[in-house]
Amino acid sequence: MANKLRVKRNAWNSSGANAAPPTANALTYGELAWENTTGTLYIGKQINGTGTINSYRVIPDASSTVIGAASFSTNNFVVNSGAVQIKDLGVATEELAADAVTSAKIADDAVDSEHIANDAVALGTQTTGNYAGSLTGTTNEIQITGSAGEGTAYTVGLPNDVVIQGNLTVEGTTTSIESTEVNIDDKNIILAHNVTGDPATIAGLNGAGITLGSPSSGTAPSLTWNNGGGVDYFEFSKAVKLTIGGTLDSTNSVGSVLDFGEYINT
C-alpha cells in the first residue's frame, strides 16, 4: 500500500510562472488540485443531476453567507495563533455604522472616562434627565455668583439691601436686629400676639411692654403692663414727665407740664 497521497498540482509554464488555477471543469468529481501561486486547494464538485463538475476552492473567501477564509486589516485587528483581537484605537468613528453599538451591547462600566474624548457628550443632546442649565437670583432678594458650566461652584446669599415681597415669619427664641433706625409703616404694634384672653387678668400679658437698653440691666428704663394683684395699669420704671400742649388762653400757648416723679407701686 502506498504511504503517500498525491493530488494534482499546477505546473510551471514555459515563462517560468505558475500556471493558472484549474478551470471550472478541469477536475473530476472529488478530485483535488493544488494551485501553488496563491497556495489554494481546489476540489471538483458536482453541481447538478446531469453530472456537471465545477472546480471550487476547498476554503473559499468568507462572506455574509459563506464560511471561509477572511482577511483582517492590520490597521484595526491583530491575529495571534488564530485569535482575532481589535487593536487599541483600532476602530475609528467613521468605521462604525450608524446605531451599530447600542446600550444593550455595552457592559456596565465597560467604557471609562479615559476612553471618552473631552467635550464628547453634550448636555441636553446626548443625555437625558434633569439638570440645571443656569441659576438666576432676584434683585434685592437672592444673589447668586458663578456662571453655569461644568464644575462651577455657586455662592448663594442675600444682598446688602433685601426686599421681601409678601409676609415674613420668623420663629425662634431671640430675634436680633442690628440697625441704627427702624421704620415701620404700620400704625399699631401688637406685642404678645399669641396671648388671648382679658388683658386685665390674663397672666400671659403681665410684664409685656417696651424696654430700653439691655433687659439684663436692672436700671434699664421700661414701660410694662401690670395686671397682677387685682389691678391693671401701665408701669414706668423711671420718672414720668408729661407735657400737655395746646393753647391755654390768648396770651399763653406753651401748655402745661406735669412731672409725676418716680412712681412706686406699693
Side-chain angles (χ1 to χ4, degrees), residues 159-201:
N160 291 333
D161 298 321
V162 179
V163 176
I164 298 176
Q165 303 291 341
N167 298 327
L168 172 64
T169 300
V170 179
E171 296 182 354
T173 303
T174 302
T175 301
S176 300
I177 300 176
E178 296 182 4
S179 59
T180 57
E181 182 177 329
V182 177
N183 297 320
I184 301 175
D185 289 343
D186 291 336
K187 62 182 180 180
N188 186 23
I189 299 176
I190 301 176
L191 303 178
H193 178 268
N194 62 321
V195 179
T196 59
D198 186 357
T201 58

Side-chain angles (χ1 to χ4, degrees), residues 24-134:
N25 55 0
L27 302 176
T28 60
Y29 175 56
E31 186 179 20
L32 296 173
W34 175 257
E35 198 280 298
N36 197 61
T37 302
T38 59
T40 305
L41 182 65
Y42 289 86
I43 187 170
K45 178 182 179 182
Q46 184 176 337
I47 62 174
N48 56 37
T50 63
T52 303
I53 307 299
N54 274 355
S55 299
Y56 284 91
R57 288 193 300 171
V58 175
I59 303 178
D61 288 336
S63 68
S64 58
T65 58
V66 177
I67 298 176
S71 60
F72 299 91
S73 170
T74 57
N75 294 327
N76 306 100
F77 302 93
V78 60
V79 182
N80 290 318
S81 302
V84 181
Q85 293 180 320
I86 300 176
K87 299 176 75 172
D88 291 344
L89 305 177
V91 181
T93 303
E94 59 271 12
E95 294 174 328
L96 289 174
D99 302 323
V101 181
T102 63
S103 58
K105 298 179 180 178
I106 302 176
D108 291 343
D109 304 323
V111 182
D112 53 28
S113 58
E114 67 183 26
H115 292 95
I116 301 177
N118 293 337
D119 303 323
V121 179
L123 290 176
T125 302
Q126 283 88 18
T127 60
T128 185
N130 299 322
Y131 64 92
S134 62

